[in-house]
Amino acid sequence: MITPEVVNDQYIVQVANENHLRLAETICREMEESAKARGTGIAKRSPIYVMEKMLEGKAIIAMTLSGEWVGFCYIETWEHGKFVANSGLIVHPEHRKSGIATRIKAKAFELSRTMFPAAKIIGITTSLAVMKINSDLGYHPVTLNELPGDDAFWKGCSSCTNFDILTRTGRKHCLCTGMLYDPEEHKKEEKKEKWNFLKESSLYERWMRIKKRILLRISPSERSRGRKTERELETA
């Protein structure tokens, strides 16, 4: 059982349930607006889909103690439970930079580990802040081909403005970075030094700038030059 958590005497973070169904439309609208503002990121989801996640006990919601919606995240499974994705993280604009996103992600991670203890937990993001949160939980950056090969998984990216980059590179490259937590590997690495996001963040900022410069400049008519792009990315 995942116990609700009170944060800073201001928020409560818990597994969503039928009492939160009324918020599904608001959450989806905020997801869409956030993606538009950034020009990338969160795949579009319908209120019905979000409601299903709530009823299945596969979503985390944050509220103020007075009952106002603050943030949300849900989990999805792929390849018969081999992979679990913590997806759709969104925080209300008025509550950003409060640290609540970290608590939502931590609770979603706990839920994933409880429901699917043997699964690899994955994520894809363009946000350095989310990468920091994930790295603190034990995720490592991985190539996109280490994520599920299921077409349904990648279909979730189809509403992203950068989906064309993903498809024209054969799902090898995108502006998003893939991240993965492997419970088996984590057991082996417990005695080793953790991947230090803060130490490596400048490297990833540079890498993301390179990806944007290369991937965004290619027009559909230049797809035949894909091999050259692959070489540039590999040597960068």
Side-chain angles (χ1 to χ4, degrees):
M1 181 178 179
I2 307 299
T3 306
E5 177 184 358
V6 176
V7 180
N8 298 330
D9 294 323
Q10 184 177 3
Y11 307 113
I12 182 166
V13 183
Q14 62 186 315
V15 177
N17 56 52
E18 65 273 10
N19 296 324
H20 303 114
L21 295 176
R22 59 186 176 81
L23 297 169
E25 189 171 344
T26 299
I27 290 169
C28 289
R29 184 167 57 248
E30 192 57 52
M31 284 181 179
E32 187 172 2
E33 290 302 314
S34 177
K36 285 179 180 177
R38 294 200 313 271
T40 184
I42 302 172
K44 188 176 181 180
R45 291 290 183 259
S46 70
I48 295 298
Y49 185 84
V50 168
M51 288 179 184
E52 288 174 351
K53 290 299 176 184
M54 291 177 174
L55 293 174
E56 291 169 356
K58 294 180 180 178
I60 298 296
I61 196 163
M63 309 280 291
T64 63
L65 296 184
S66 60
E68 297 177 0
W69 172 72
V70 173
F72 181 79
C73 184
Y74 60 87
I75 68 175
E76 298 175 292
T77 57
W78 305 99
E79 297 187 12
H80 306 289
K82 181 180 177 181
F83 294 96
V84 176
N86 295 168
S87 304
L89 176 65
I90 187 70
V91 173
H92 191 286
E94 294 180 4
H95 298 276
R96 290 172 187 167
K97 298 184 179 181
S98 66
I100 195 63
T102 300
R103 301 314 311 153
I104 294 170
K105 284 284 289 185
K107 191 64 73 174
F109 184 80
E110 180 186 354
L111 179 62
S112 300
R113 296 285 290 125
T114 300
M115 296 184 74
F116 307 96
K120 295 178 180 180
I121 305 176
I122 58 175
I124 52 176
T125 183
T126 57
S127 168
L128 290 172
V130 173
M131 288 181 69
K132 170 64 170 62
I133 294 171
N134 286 349
S135 70
D136 288 344
L137 292 170
Y139 289 66
H140 291 273
V142 294
T143 57
L144 297 187
N145 61 11
E146 294 181 61
L147 303 181
D150 191 335
D151 287 343
F153 172 78
W154 296 105
K155 185 178 180 181
C157 297
S158 60
S159 59
C160 178
T161 55
N162 296 312
F163 186 61
D164 179 61
I165 296 174
L166 185 68
T167 54
R168 73 175 181 242
T169 61
R171 298 178 186 167
K172 292 182 180 179
H173 300 291
C174 195
L175 298 189
C176 280
T177 296
M179 301 192 76
L180 180 145
Y181 172 93
D182 185 337
E184 291 302 317
E185 287 298 320
H186 188 70
K187 290 177 184 177
K188 299 176 185 177
E189 295 177 359
E190 282 181 342
K191 296 182 180 180
K192 298 180 183 179
E193 182 181 357
K194 280 188 174 182
W195 177 69
N196 190 322
F197 177 82
L198 291 178
K199 186 188 295 183
E200 304 293 342
S201 62
S202 60
L203 173 64
Y204 275 87
E205 288 180 21
R206 178 174 177 271
W207 171 234
M208 290 176 72
R209 288 196 299 270
I210 292 170
K211 285 204 294 183
K212 286 182 180 180
R213 188 168 67 246
I214 294 173
L215 296 175
L216 293 178
R217 78 185 183 195
I218 303 173
S219 66
S221 63
E222 295 176 293
R223 292 178 186 177
S224 60
R225 303 179 187 176
R227 292 183 181 176
K228 179 180 177 181
T229 302
E230 293 290 330
R231 288 196 298 272
E232 289 184 53
L233 285 165
E234 288 169 3
T235 57

